[in-house]
Amino acid sequence: MPQGYGHYIENVGSEDVELVLALNNGSYESISITAWMAATPGQVLATNFGVPEKTFAAFPKRETMMPE
C-alpha cells in the first residue's frame, strides 16, 4: 500500500486479533480528512464508504478548511 493512503484493518474472524504495528519512521505525522479525501481516488472512496463513485465528484481536489 502506498504511503499516505487511507486504510483500515478489519477482523473478519470470530476470535480476537493481536496486532503488531511497526512504523518506518520515528516521527508521527497526521493527515487531515480533507487532505486524505482530496488525494484519494474516487474509486477508493466509493469502495471504503459503500456509495457510488459519483458521490465524490464535487468534493474538493485539494486540502480545504471545513466551515465551522
Side-chain angles (χ1 to χ4, degrees), residues 3-62:
Q3 184 175 351
Y5 273 42
H7 56 280
Y8 68 95
I9 298 169
E10 179 180 1
N11 179 4
V12 296
S14 59
E15 298 181 20
D16 290 345
V17 171
E18 291 187 31
L19 179 68
V20 175
L21 179 64
L23 304 174
N24 63 351
N25 186 332
S27 301
Y28 173 79
E29 295 180 36
S30 66
I31 183 170
S32 73
I33 188 69
T34 58
W36 174 76
M37 291 184 79
T40 302
Q43 182 180 13
V44 174
L45 293 172
T47 300
N48 285 341
F49 290 102
V51 298
E53 187 173 344
K54 66 182 179 183
T55 303
F56 303 99
F59 277 46
K61 301 301 181 213
R62 61 180 180 78

